[in-house]
Amino acid sequence: MRAPIRVAVVDDEPLARAALRLSLEADAELVVVGDCSGVDAPGLIERAQVELVFLDVQMPEIDGFGVLEAL
């Protein structure tokens, strides 16, 4: 049996993060290791060894492409 895929949810809207987290946690093949806004995303992704990111493109402080550049 393989370990679950480590997932992060990145969005500037807390309700959107919570809704997506609930949906993802229903899948036994995934484990949500964290959720945050764009500013905190690079640190979370590196620290938690995230394998899959659900990343919002339009965020006010740093957009999704900025997060990717930071990584």
Side-chain angles (χ1 to χ4, degrees):
M1 186 168 160
R2 142 177 162 64
I5 297 169
R6 299 173 62 77
V7 176
V9 177
V10 180
D11 196 308
D12 59 309
E13 298 180 31
L15 290 176
R17 289 196 311 260
L20 187 51
R21 179 185 267 274
L22 281 174
S23 295
L24 294 170
E25 288 175 342
D27 189 328
E29 294 184 17
L30 305 174
V31 60
V32 179
V33 295
D35 64 73
C36 61
S37 65
V39 174
D40 299 322
L44 169 66
I45 292 167
E46 291 177 356
R47 184 177 54 256
Q49 300 176 350
V50 173
E51 300 171 287
L52 176 65
V53 179
F54 287 83
L55 178 60
D56 186 8
V57 174
Q58 292 185 331
M59 295 181 283
E61 296 171 340
I62 181 173
D63 66 14
F65 295 107
V67 171
L68 294 176
E69 286 178 19
L71 293 170

